[in-house]
């Protein structure tokens, strides 16, 4: 019995601090989450305030970055997405391919539409480049023994510069092929985003539009 009590005491000393630490972390996380949500609501109210238009562009941009938690976003872009339901989702997807899109603007500088920067010619050249560079870069793998014999031959002749050039050539081709493939992937992601956005995104009618509709209906 005494042995069991001793074992229980040791386990209590070891386990209780761990449990307390876990509970404190959970409470701190919940508190932080609640504070973050409250701050997000406060930022959303400020973002929708009419007085915001009188503030400087720098202030509005920083407010948009804070609201959507992304340093690449501008106020005009955030304002565009705020007109759509589930704006946070679309912003998260947008920033991934932001550099691949061209922003169309109205006379006031507000974003009105997004279009591809790339075209089918650039994508075709990127695909061709990927095939060519990948073929050259992977030559040592499907002609391994010939490649090794060539390197050994140059080594025996003391032609170290030639060995470096051959190895560097294949490495550069592999990197170039990878970059071409990433460009094609970015273009594909861009096309998917534009297709999904303009097909699925639901534009929320503003208060002014609703008021005008109610006035017209009453008339």
């Amino acid at each position: 019995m005494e042995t069991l009590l001793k074992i229980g005491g040791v386990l209590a000393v070891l386990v209780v601090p761990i449990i307390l630490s876990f509970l404190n972390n959970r409470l701190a996380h919940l508190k932080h989450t609640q504070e973050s949500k409250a701050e997000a609501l406060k930022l959303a109210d400020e973002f929708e305030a009419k007085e915001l238009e009188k503030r400087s562009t720098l202030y509005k941009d920083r407010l948009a970055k804070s609201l959507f938690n992304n340093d690449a976003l501008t106020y005009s872009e955030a304002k565009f997405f705020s007109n759509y339901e589930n704006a946070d989702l679309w912003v998260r997807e947008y920033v991934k391919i932001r550099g691949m899109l061209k922003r169309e603007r109205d006379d006031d500088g507000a974003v009105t539409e997004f279009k591809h920067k790339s075209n089918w010619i650039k994508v075709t050249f990127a695909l061709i480049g990927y095939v060519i560079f990948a073929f050259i870069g992977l030559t040592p793998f499907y002609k391994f023994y010939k490649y090794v014999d060539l390197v050994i031959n140059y080594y025996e002749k003391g032609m170290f510069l030639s060995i470096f050039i051959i190895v560097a050539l294949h490495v550069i081709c592999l990197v170039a092929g990878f970059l071409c493939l990433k460009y094609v992937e970015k273009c594909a992601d861009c096309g998917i985003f534009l297709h999904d956005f303009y097909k699925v995104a639901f534009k929320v009618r503003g208060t002014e539009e609703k008021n005008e509709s109610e006035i017209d209906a009453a008339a």
Side-chain angles (χ1 to χ4, degrees):
M1 187 67 181
E2 292 181 1
T3 304
L4 291 175
L5 290 174
K6 290 180 180 179
I7 294 173
V10 171
L11 290 176
V13 171
L14 293 174
V15 174
V16 170
I18 296 174
I19 295 175
L20 291 176
S21 177
F22 174 77
L23 292 175
N24 286 332
N25 288 334
R26 290 295 300 171
L27 290 173
H29 177 72
L30 290 173
K31 183 179 179 181
H32 176 71
T33 302
Q34 291 174 349
E35 291 176 351
S36 298
K37 289 180 179 180
E39 182 65 22
L41 289 173
K42 183 179 178 181
L43 290 172
D45 287 337
E46 187 176 357
F47 186 81
E48 296 294 336
K50 293 182 179 180
E51 294 79 9
L52 182 62
E53 295 297 333
K54 300 177 183 178
R55 304 299 295 266
S56 66
T57 302
L58 178 61
Y59 180 87
K60 291 187 289 187
D61 281 346
R62 289 185 175 178
L63 178 62
K65 296 178 194 300
S66 299
L67 178 61
F68 289 97
N69 194 28
N70 190 282
D71 292 336
L73 200 66
T74 65
Y75 171 75
S76 58
E77 293 167 341
K79 194 67 177 175
F80 174 84
F81 284 108
S82 67
N83 294 320
Y84 291 84
E85 189 178 70
N86 207 357
D88 294 284
L89 171 65
W90 295 115
V91 167
R92 281 198 302 271
E93 295 301 316
Y94 164 71
V95 295
K96 295 177 183 177
I97 43 87
R98 183 176 182 271
M100 302 295 296
L101 293 174
K102 179 171 63 176
R103 288 160 284 282
E104 299 291 329
R105 301 177 183 272
D106 59 17
D107 295 335
D108 297 326
V111 175
T112 58
E113 188 181 3
F114 296 107
K115 291 183 178 179
H116 276 288
K117 275 186 180 180
S118 60
N119 51 50
W120 68 270
I121 297 177
K122 292 181 180 179
V123 176
T124 302
F125 274 114
L127 282 171
I128 294 173
Y130 165 70
V131 172
I132 294 173
F133 288 127
F135 178 80
I136 297 173
L138 293 173
T139 300
F141 295 95
Y142 56 81
K143 290 190 176 182
F144 181 76
Y145 295 107
K146 290 184 179 180
Y147 185 78
V148 172
D149 290 340
L150 181 63
V151 171
I152 292 174
N153 185 36
Y154 281 141
Y155 178 79
E156 291 175 346
K157 293 179 179 179
M159 302 173 66
F160 301 110
L161 181 60
S162 298
I163 296 174
F164 173 78
I165 291 173
I166 291 174
V167 174
L169 175 64
H170 292 295
V171 172
I172 291 172
C173 287
L174 287 174
V175 172
F178 174 77
L179 293 176
C180 289
L181 184 62
K182 290 298 291 183
Y183 179 79
V184 173
E185 182 183 358
K186 281 282 187 181
C187 290
D189 290 341
C190 183
I192 292 171
F193 169 79
L194 290 176
H195 175 270
D196 291 346
F197 179 73
Y198 287 114
K199 184 177 181 180
V200 178
F202 177 74
K203 189 169 185 179
V204 182
R205 294 202 309 170
T207 305
E208 293 181 2
E209 278 186 285
K210 290 181 180 179
N211 291 339
E212 289 176 2
S213 299
E214 290 173 0
I215 293 173
D216 292 340

